[in-house]
Amino acid sequence: MDKKWWKEAVVYQIYPRSFQDSNGDGIGDLKGITSRLDYLQELGIDAVWLSPHYKSPNDDNGYDISDYRGIMEEFGTMEDFDEMQEEMHKRGIRLIVDLVVNHSSDEHKWFVESRKSKDNPYRDYYMWSDGKDGKEPNNWTSRFSGSAWEYDENTDQYYLHIFSKKQPDLNWENPVVRDEVYDIMDFWMQKGVDGFRLDVASMYSKTPGLPDGKTDRANIGEEHYQNGPRIHEFFNEMNQKVMSKYKDMMTVGETSAVTVEEAKKYAAADGSEMSMVFQFEHVTMEYINGDKFNLRPFDLVAFKKIMSKWQTELEGLAWNSLYLANHDQPRSVSRWGDDKKYRKESAKMLYTMIMTMQGTPYIYQGEELGMTNVKYDSIEDYQDIQIRNAWDDRVVNGNANPDELMKAIEYIGRDNARTPMQWDDSANGGFTTGKPWLKMNENYREINAAESRADSDSIFHYMQKLIQQRHKYDVAVYGSFCEYDKENPDLYVYTRQLGEQKMLVVLNFTKEEQKFTLPKEIEVKKSELYISNYENDGTMEDKMLRPYEAIAYLYV
Ligand code: NOJ
């Protein structure tokens, strides 16, 4: 296995809007990030993935970009960006920026031109189509509710938007558009960033003719834009035109609906496309027919099967990303742990898993504090376009049960992760002196960075230790993976191996005590403790595990 810095790195994701406000407008900003870099250095992370910092009307909090070379006004200036980048680099932290090029904002000058007339030079930058029998060109649905097409009276055509109608899809069939994207990448690489997280990277290529999609799923049309016919051609081209120029650059593709077979191409070990991808199977396994607001109960055996599959099947062929949370997912401790009595134990257990698997681990801001899902009094408190549109579509204009939808939103909704960072127990958790753009989670008085840093037994210090251990032991990064006791509905047990170095990981996913039996295939001459969220020594033996106990051993 080729060694690379980005395989050994632990990445921390910052959602700038909610990280740290420096000027009292209630919105996080770049100066705010710069002021918190010592904290990140103390945690020990190697790189930051920064959610979009570009100019945007914020229909989808920056994932709708109106100028790819400009900075979002609320976030500050280009000088602020330069300073932030320089201060990161000084601390040995690399910077990965988000690149959102499946679509732009409808306020981008390309789209403003494009919609003017059918013969405008920018017309083909987007996906325009005639209607069919006085209706939309096909039956595709937007991932933010309703049709994926918007009618534009001016030219009597529809444009495609897989996300909101303010996020028109760019036409990747047009080579000029692709060159624009490569120029934007060059611009930021020249500025000194270390790579990109590519937003919805699996969606650039659409089936020619844009046929109707199957209607048995929430996202109708998906099979015609996920991993489409030219997608690998596009990434090979991007790689030749951009990645090949910058030796140390890292790219991570957000590839919902990616299969192991597809991932082997996107994240191929030969470096022909991207460095790695985010797979989505473990975060969507509860969705019924792909509908995120219609959920089945969590099943640990199914979850383990997914996690283990991605461990073993990419081995040596492609590189994996490891994550439990991001700005689109709820808080991991609320989802898979226990955010009340065993909040600390379960958060530590979950990250013991992420930090002892093969792949590059990502920590989303606040996860190192065990921040939890939020519970608001009213739907009005939510700001997320996905939540608001689903509510309008299903409750206001449909006949969905409001209590049931609210329950789903409280469990899975994106605003759970977007409540501002909880720095201390002062007003608004030290996030802002103004009014936060999204209501704080009231538990900031107990759960915050100041408290966590002061407590030697905190999740923060445990995360720090997990990072240090991963930096120290190559087996945690590169070791091959083997699972035991696969049908056990309570425990996740696996080993890692790199040459002589071996590791055993035992995770109790329940709030009950569970019996662990050392698999008989495992032979131990000598063992020591790698990490544990309870008092433990390094003796590998059968034992009774306490609620959410996690133990990792090194052994030969
Ligand atoms: C994925 C991003 O992570 C999400 O926040 C956004 O809404 C969509 N892509 C559209 O850009």
Side-chain angles (χ1 to χ4, degrees):
M1 180 95 48
D2 254 10
K3 285 197 155 198
K4 295 270 189 236
W5 76 263
W6 42 262
K7 292 182 179 171
E8 294 166 21
V10 175
V11 183
Y12 186 93
Q13 183 193 351
I14 293 181
Y15 194 65
R17 209 174 174 75
S18 300
F19 194 63
Q20 176 68 67
D21 179 20
S22 73
N23 61 358
D25 66 356
I27 297 173
D29 47 43
L30 302 181
K31 274 192 185 308
I33 295 174
T34 306
S35 74
R36 293 293 186 183
L37 292 178
D38 288 343
Y39 168 84
L40 295 184
Q41 193 176 23
E42 185 184 338
L43 183 58
I45 51 102
D46 306 280
V48 162
W49 149 27
L50 184 68
S51 275
H53 61 280
Y54 313 91
K55 202 155 188 256
S56 163
N58 282 307
D59 192 47
D60 185 19
N61 292 349
Y63 283 89
D64 48 321
I65 298 172
S66 54
D67 177 1
Y68 289 96
R69 292 175 178 79
I71 303 290
M72 190 183 302
E73 267 157 45
E74 296 92 323
F75 290 177
T77 62
M78 194 58 96
E79 287 70 48
D80 297 339
F81 180 89
D82 292 339
E83 190 196 0
M84 176 192 71
Q85 176 177 264
E86 200 184 313
E87 291 299 320
M88 283 185 185
H89 286 163
K90 260 195 216 162
R91 290 169 177 77
I93 298 173
R94 308 210 201 207
L95 174 59
I96 308 300
V97 292
D98 218 312
L99 188 68
V100 189
V101 287
N102 172 70
H103 45 266
S104 71
S105 161
D106 66 336
E107 296 182 32
H108 193 289
K109 67 172 191 277
W110 299 336
F111 192 75
V112 173
E113 283 301 315
S114 185
R115 74 190 319 172
K116 281 186 180 160
S117 67
K118 286 185 179 167
D119 56 11
N120 187 284
Y122 289 92
R123 187 70 173 177
D124 277 346
Y125 271 46
Y126 294 88
M127 311 207 48
W128 291 97
S129 187
D130 288 330
K132 222 159 78 195
D133 311 324
K135 289 209 306 250
E136 289 83 11
N138 66 26
N139 67 352
W140 297 8
T141 52
S142 155
R143 298 174 87 89
F144 292 160
S145 303
S147 168
W149 294 95
E150 182 72 6
Y151 180 65
D152 198 49
E153 223 168 48
N154 185 35
T155 53
D156 188 29
Q157 279 196 319
Y158 292 81
Y159 65 85
L160 178 70
H161 61 89
I162 292 175
F163 293 90
S164 97
K165 62 181 181 211
K166 287 185 65 63
Q167 294 168 299
D169 278 56
L170 284 160
N171 177 15
W172 274 73
E173 298 291 321
N174 181 351
V176 182
V177 168
R178 302 204 298 275
D179 281 337
E180 295 270 18
V181 170
Y182 309 146
D183 280 352
I184 293 165
M185 293 176 87
D186 263 328
F187 173 85
W188 289 99
M189 287 306 294
Q190 296 293 332
K191 267 204 147 294
V193 306
D194 301 284
F196 299 95
R197 175 263 189 188
L198 292 133
D199 187 69
V200 294
S202 51
M203 298 191 191
Y204 303 162
S205 165
K206 280 91 177 170
T207 306
L210 311 179
D212 276 343
K214 294 189 199 136
T215 53
D216 60 350
R217 63 201 64 199
N219 295 313
I220 299 176
E222 187 164 40
E223 70 278 26
H224 295 301
Y225 61 75
Q226 291 279 23
N227 313 306
R230 297 186 66 191
I231 193 73
H232 296 291
E233 182 195 328
F234 294 158
F235 277 109
N236 273 288
E237 180 183 88
M238 180 191 286
N239 188 290
Q240 277 156 27
K241 295 204 173 172
V242 188
M243 283 78 134
S244 63
K245 283 198 281 191
Y246 306 98
K247 211 173 89 284
D248 254 357
M249 172 180 182
M250 161 183 154
T251 43
V252 50
E254 187 211 18
T255 50
S256 57
V258 70
T259 59
V260 162
E261 286 318 306
E262 289 295 328
K264 286 182 196 164
K265 299 180 208 155
Y266 286 121
D270 67 4
S272 53
E273 296 192 22
M274 292 179 275
S275 316
M276 64 186 109
V277 288
F278 288 116
Q279 64 86 11
F280 270 64
E281 286 188 290
H282 65 307
V283 291
T284 55
M285 58 176 272
E286 294 146 287
Y287 299 7
I288 298 174
N289 297 330
D291 179 359
K292 82 177 274 179
F293 295 114
N294 186 10
L295 302 159
R296 64 172 69 88
F298 175 70
D299 170 356
L300 182 66
V301 174
F303 179 85
K304 292 195 297 182
K305 200 166 169 198
I306 291 169
M307 298 305 279
S308 299
K309 175 180 79 179
W310 283 90
Q311 288 294 297
T312 51
E313 295 195 19
L314 295 191
E315 166 83 41
L317 301 171
W319 195 249
N320 207 7
S321 306
L322 305 162
Y323 73 103
L324 291 173
N326 59 40
H327 64 293
D328 295 330
Q329 301 295 331
R331 288 293 177 181
S332 65
V333 72
S334 300
R335 187 174 191 177
W336 292 299
D338 169 16
D339 63 8
K340 307 255 160 24
K341 184 166 178 200
Y342 295 114
R343 189 179 63 86
K344 275 192 186 177
E345 292 81 356
S346 61
K348 290 176 183 175
M349 183 279 291
L350 289 166
Y351 277 88
T352 308
M353 172 180 72
I354 286 301
M355 296 285 197
T356 57
M357 284 188 161
Q358 193 187 84
T360 300
Y362 289 72
I363 304 168
Y364 178 66
Q365 67 185 40
E367 290 281 292
E368 75 281 14
L369 307 175
M371 278 176 65
T372 67
N373 278 358
V374 71
K375 204 166 163 47
Y376 290 135
D377 298 332
S378 141
I379 189 70
E380 300 305 320
D381 290 329
Y382 289 92
Q383 303 291 331
D384 175 19
I385 183 168
Q386 186 177 51
I387 294 176
R388 295 188 79 121
N389 284 4
W391 188 268
D392 286 348
D393 193 47
R394 298 175 191 212
V395 174
V396 180
N397 302 316
N399 48 20
N401 177 324
D403 295 337
E404 268 173 32
L405 183 55
M406 199 53 154
K407 237 175 85 192
I409 291 170
E410 284 167 1
Y411 178 73
I412 204 93
R414 307 197 297 182
D415 278 344
N416 283 308
R418 299 178 179 186
T419 60
M421 264 296 272
Q422 301 174 183
W423 294 105
D424 54 44
D425 62 3
S426 69
N428 297 319
F431 163 69
T432 181
T433 54
K435 181 171 181 278
W437 71 276
L438 176 68
K439 269 195 182 170
M440 300 292 300
N441 190 326
E442 286 301 317
N443 64 18
Y444 72 80
R445 291 180 191 87
E446 298 83 50
I447 303 173
N448 59 63
E451 171 277 324
S452 243
R453 285 174 63 214
D455 170 9
S456 61
D457 188 40
S458 67
I459 301 165
F460 179 88
H461 288 296
Y462 189 81
M463 196 75 98
Q464 215 177 23
K465 177 91 190 287
L466 279 169
I467 298 172
Q468 285 162 5
Q469 291 293 76
R470 200 171 164 97
H471 286 156
K472 205 156 138 195
Y473 295 100
D474 267 359
V475 62
V477 177
Y478 295 106
S480 60
F481 177 95
C482 179
E483 187 188 352
Y484 297 89
D485 205 4
K486 293 184 183 169
E487 297 305 318
N488 190 320
D490 306 310
L491 304 185
Y492 197 7
V493 179
Y494 53 87
T495 55
R496 306 283 310 281
Q497 176 161 11
L498 185 71
E500 289 295 288
Q501 235 178 56
K502 293 182 199 160
M503 188 193 298
L504 169 71
V505 182
V506 184
L507 308 169
N508 178 3
F509 265 77
T510 74
K511 40 167 86 61
E512 281 88 44
E513 290 197 342
Q514 302 290 348
K515 174 104 182 70
F516 164 68
T517 315
L518 189 67
K520 48 185 181 323
E521 301 90 325
I522 294 182
E523 280 173 38
V524 195
K525 279 190 243 129
K526 222 171 78 196
S527 66
E528 63 183 279
L529 191 68
Y530 177 85
I531 200 158
S532 178
N533 59 351
Y534 282 85
E535 218 30 74
N536 265 306
D537 63 24
T539 323
M540 278 170 64
E541 59 191 1
D542 296 356
K543 63 191 295 154
M544 213 53 188
L545 297 170
R546 289 155 280 192
Y548 295 102
E549 183 156 355
I551 322 175
Y553 305 94
L554 288 171
Y555 69 102
V556 285

